[in-house]
Amino acid sequence: MSMTLAGLARLGNEPTVRRMADNKAVMDLSLAFSFGRKVDGKQPVTWISATMWGDRCDKLKPYLTKGQLLFVTLTEIHIEEYKRRDGTPGTSLRARLGELEFAGGRPEERQPAKGFDDLEDDIPF
């Protein structure tokens, strides 16, 4: 049985598109899901590294920007182990992006998100 997650998330960085050997597009997205109560004025965040596959990658990439609010549906959610730069073991939460809707209005109406310039320091992968 597979787990599905749906919710509002912010893009933690500019998405990247890469190509597989068969030239199929894969887009990597870093998603920040806020939860719980603020502690010392900061909202707790869970990061999920998601991938989108297929023609949608090239079509959507120009409209996706760091800090943007999205409603997403994720499937194939799993924990992946990796080695950090310092050689210590780490884990990250990963998923496949099923559905995506823009939640912050039309791209031309959106204001830049405040406080997302320093998100890269908090991304665990």
Side-chain angles (χ1 to χ4, degrees):
M1 195 177 309
S2 179
M3 185 170 40
T4 301
L5 170 75
L8 289 173
R10 290 219 182 256
L11 276 175
N13 58 17
E14 297 295 324
T16 58
V17 176
R18 54 191 164 88
R19 300 278 172 197
M20 303 304 289
D22 60 2
N23 204 35
K24 288 186 181 173
V26 180
M27 184 169 12
D28 297 310
L29 302 110
S30 179
L31 301 170
F33 289 85
S34 299
F35 67 94
R37 294 186 176 172
K38 288 184 178 182
V39 177
D40 296 327
K42 291 185 111 179
Q43 188 84 27
V45 173
T46 294
W47 289 94
I48 299 180
S49 178
T51 55
M52 176 189 289
W53 295 74
D55 295 336
R56 298 184 304 164
C57 298
D58 292 319
K59 293 175 183 173
L60 286 173
K61 186 179 182 315
Y63 302 100
L64 298 172
T65 57
K66 180 178 176 178
Q68 186 171 17
L69 187 63
L70 303 170
F71 182 81
V72 296
T73 302
L74 303 174
T75 62
E76 300 178 25
I77 302 162
H78 62 283
I79 296 171
E80 191 170 287
E81 296 178 358
Y82 67 97
K83 280 195 177 183
R84 294 186 176 115
R85 291 179 186 156
D86 65 2
T88 60
T91 59
S92 66
L93 195 53
R94 300 201 172 258
R96 184 174 188 145
L97 189 112
E99 299 293 327
L100 176 146
E101 292 182 33
F102 296 98
R106 293 177 172 178
E108 63 270 13
E109 295 173 352
R110 285 194 304 267
Q111 298 295 318
K114 294 180 180 172
F116 272 78
D117 290 336
D118 57 356
L119 278 179
E120 292 168 0
D121 295 338
D122 295 336
I123 299 174
F125 43 87

